[in-house]
């Protein structure tokens, strides 16, 4: 399997089936299904140090490397300083200067430290989450790397996980990628209200088709264990007409015991205002979500011992869209008004109408 240089190695773990899932898995899956944000969470769900270590490696932070440990401490110190200066927030020393970075996540999960440490650690981790994104964007602008090169790095990373997914025997019928053409980018931007290139989230897109509907959740959770941390799903960019979270609990009785412990009540999605793609057919069904996939950029940076930068972050983020559905749904999505050629026709019609508005002389009335 091919991964970008210096990608932290992940310990092998068993595939998590729906029968294996508990509160932790439910919260992470729900976050993706509704396009939520961890900033709204009040508790993490780590139970052991090795779980935290694996999560940090998914974030491209390997604390066994001195440079990664130092960088994690820098982000922590910045978060603590922000809270103290902006809100005069009293951050306990145990949280501000933990023996290990891993302790922060165990504090936030309530399995280590005092009860008040959980609340403080959660707040600190939320700020660190935002800071790391800011640092990733800043590094991206400073590096001499083209969009095409970055796409190659993230495609190599995703396809490496796709290969692992097949090795593990998960029932995936198709795992394909595409990059939007220049024509498609122009058309999509003209069709959107926000005609800004930064608003295109699916330049690099992966389509995953499982053999059966029941395979969707295990495959989805596998991606959060091997490709991207669940908290890097972009809030507000999920289009889900395929999997109802409430139905997940109804169809799996062993999961219903966790309903009362969820961050949000079971009816929360029913109250949310959901938007559909304007150009899709009314019966089109899919799960589309966008992820800020973290990518190590060591190949474009000086070796750690020679790195004289003031801010020594080595990870950037690149937006990737994932679309997941099962084979039968994929077949139905190509029938009637759902057909892709009709989707493109509706989109182009809207673009042409928008471009010509106010510029075309109306036909003379008879």
């Amino acid at each position: 399997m091919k991964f970008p240089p210096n990608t932290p190695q992940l310990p092998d773990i068993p595939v998590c089936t729906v029968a294996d899932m508990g509160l932790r898995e439910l919260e992470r899956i729900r976050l993706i299904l509704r396009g939520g944000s961890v900033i709204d969470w009040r508790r993490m769900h780590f139970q052991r140090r090795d779980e935290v270590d694996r999560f940090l490696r998914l974030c491209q932070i390997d604390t066994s490397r001195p440079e990664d440990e130092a960088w994690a401490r820098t982000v922590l110190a910045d978060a603590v300083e922000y809270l103290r200066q902006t809100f005069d927030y009293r951050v306990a020393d145990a949280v501000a200067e933990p023996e290990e970075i891993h302790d922060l996540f165990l504090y936030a999960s309530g399995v280590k430290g005092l009860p008040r440490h959980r609340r403080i650690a959660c707040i600190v981790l939320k700020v660190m989450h935002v800071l790391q994104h800011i640092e990733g964007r800043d590094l991206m602008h400073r590096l001499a790397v083209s969009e095409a090169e970055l796409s190659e790095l993230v495609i190599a990373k995703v396809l490496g996980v796709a290969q692992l997914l097949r090795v593990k025997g998960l029932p995936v019928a198709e795992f394909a990628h595409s990059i939007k053409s220049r024509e498609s980018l122009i058309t999509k931007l003209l069709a959107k209200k926000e005609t800004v290139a930064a608003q295109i989230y699916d330049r690099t897109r992966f389509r995953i088709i499982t053999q059966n509907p029941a395979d969707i959740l295990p495959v989805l959770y596998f991606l959060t264990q091997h490709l991207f941390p669940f908290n890097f799903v972009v809030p507000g960019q999920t289009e889900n007409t395929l999997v109802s979270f409430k139905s997940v609990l109804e169809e799996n009785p062993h999961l219903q015991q966790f309903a009362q412990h969820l961050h949000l009540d079971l009816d929360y999605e029913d109250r949310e205002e959901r938007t559909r793609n304007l150009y899709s057919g009314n019966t089109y069904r899919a799960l589309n979500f966008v992820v800020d996939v973290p990518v190590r950029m060591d190949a474009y940076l000086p070796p750690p011992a020679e790195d004289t930068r003031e801010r020594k972050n080595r990870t950037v983020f690149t937006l990737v869209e994932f679309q997941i559905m099962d084979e039968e749904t994929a077949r139905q999505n190509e029938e009637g008004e759902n057909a892709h050629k009709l989707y493109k026709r509706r989109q182009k019609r809207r673009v042409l109408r928008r471009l010509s508005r106010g510029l075309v002389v109306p036909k003379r009335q008879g």
Side-chain angles (χ1 to χ4, degrees):
M1 289 173 287
K2 183 181 178 183
F3 290 96
N6 280 12
T7 297
Q9 297 300 303
L10 297 174
D12 189 32
I13 55 174
V15 171
C16 181
T17 66
V18 175
D20 299 324
M21 292 182 180
L23 180 61
R24 172 183 60 187
E25 291 77 20
L26 276 180
E27 289 286 22
R28 294 176 180 181
I29 285 174
R30 190 183 198 183
L31 191 77
I32 300 173
L33 295 181
R34 58 176 293 269
S37 171
V38 291
I39 302 301
D40 301 318
W41 281 19
R42 59 181 181 271
R43 180 191 293 273
M44 300 298 287
H45 300 285
F46 296 98
Q47 298 300 307
R48 304 185 311 274
R49 183 193 183 279
D50 63 306
E51 293 176 13
V52 178
D53 193 68
R54 198 172 198 285
F55 174 79
L56 288 172
R57 288 170 181 261
L58 262 180
C59 296
Q60 304 304 294
I61 297 172
D62 179 357
T63 56
S64 68
R65 302 173 182 172
E67 64 272 18
D68 284 15
E69 168 71 17
W71 176 248
R73 294 281 178 179
T74 296
V75 177
L76 169 58
D78 287 352
V80 171
E81 181 181 12
Y82 167 80
L83 290 169
R84 286 173 173 170
Q85 289 191 356
T86 307
F87 302 104
D88 196 23
Y89 200 89
R90 295 165 63 183
V91 181
D93 290 342
V95 176
E97 299 177 14
E99 184 176 341
E100 284 191 297
I101 287 294
H102 303 66
D103 291 342
L104 274 177
F105 295 84
L106 298 176
Y107 288 149
S109 303
V111 300
K112 190 170 185 176
L114 302 174
R116 63 189 178 93
H117 290 161
R118 179 182 66 81
R119 296 188 295 273
I120 300 170
C122 278
I123 292 170
V124 169
L125 283 172
K126 290 176 181 182
V127 178
M128 291 177 69
H129 171 74
V130 172
L131 284 172
Q132 183 66 355
H133 270 81
I134 292 173
E135 294 288 347
R137 296 295 181 216
D138 183 66
L139 179 58
M140 175 86 80
H141 293 310
R142 294 174 184 271
L143 289 178
V145 56
S146 69
E147 198 167 280
E149 289 174 294
L150 191 58
S151 290
E152 288 178 7
L153 287 173
V154 76
I155 288 171
K157 181 174 181 175
V158 178
L159 293 184
V161 172
Q163 182 180 341
L164 178 62
L165 192 147
R166 292 190 176 98
V167 169
K168 289 286 189 179
L170 282 157
V172 172
E174 179 184 329
F175 199 127
H177 76 277
S178 61
I179 299 177
K180 274 198 179 299
S181 67
R182 182 177 175 83
E183 178 192 59
S184 294
L185 282 174
I186 294 171
T187 301
K188 184 156 188 174
L189 283 169
L190 288 171
K192 290 167 65 73
K193 291 181 180 179
E194 311 89 351
T195 50
V196 180
Q199 297 296 328
I200 295 292
Y201 292 100
D202 60 347
R203 276 193 178 93
T204 305
R205 184 189 194 198
F206 291 86
R207 172 182 165 96
I208 306 170
I209 298 180
T210 65
Q211 292 179 5
N212 298 294
D215 305 323
I216 291 173
L217 291 188
V219 169
L220 181 62
Y221 196 71
F222 185 91
L223 296 179
T224 70
Q225 290 179 301
H226 295 85
L227 179 59
F228 57 82
F230 65 92
N231 55 307
F232 287 171
V233 171
V234 179
Q237 295 303 316
T238 292
E239 290 184 17
N240 178 17
T241 52
L242 184 64
V243 182
S244 160
F245 180 73
K246 191 182 290 187
S247 296
V248 170
L249 269 67
E250 292 172 354
E251 294 165 7
N252 298 279
H254 75 283
L255 296 177
Q256 294 175 12
Q257 60 181 306
F258 304 111
Q260 60 182 329
H261 302 294
L262 293 166
H263 289 296
L264 304 171
D265 65 86
L266 270 183
D267 297 322
Y268 190 89
E269 284 85 350
D270 297 336
R271 299 192 299 271
E272 280 190 303
E273 185 177 336
R274 311 300 293 178
T275 57
R276 288 182 62 96
N277 190 309
L278 292 173
Y279 315 110
S280 296
N282 290 330
T283 58
Y284 185 88
R285 297 173 62 233
L287 169 60
N288 290 67
F289 59 96
V290 180
V291 179
D292 252 331
V293 176
V295 181
R296 293 282 298 208
M297 302 303 289
D298 296 77
Y300 297 85
L301 292 166
E306 302 171 18
D307 193 350
T308 59
R309 295 176 301 145
E310 182 180 353
R311 309 290 294 180
K312 301 187 190 303
N313 177 32
R314 307 184 76 83
T315 301
V316 301
F317 297 93
T318 182
L319 291 166
V320 177
E321 183 185 60
F322 292 89
Q323 181 183 80
I324 300 181
M325 66 187 77
D326 60 276
E327 281 189 295
E328 176 59 22
T329 299
R331 185 189 64 77
Q332 293 176 2
N333 282 347
E334 286 302 319
E335 295 179 347
E337 65 173 354
N338 295 328
H340 187 66
K341 63 180 181 180
L342 296 182
Y343 170 94
K344 300 302 290 186
R345 186 183 300 171
R346 287 188 288 267
Q347 187 185 53
K348 289 181 178 179
R349 188 182 298 137
R350 174 178 170 82
V351 169
L352 187 58
R353 188 182 302 125
R354 192 178 188 194
L355 286 173
S356 61
R357 185 172 295 152
L359 297 175
V360 178
V361 179
K363 291 182 179 178
R364 180 181 295 178
Q365 299 297 314

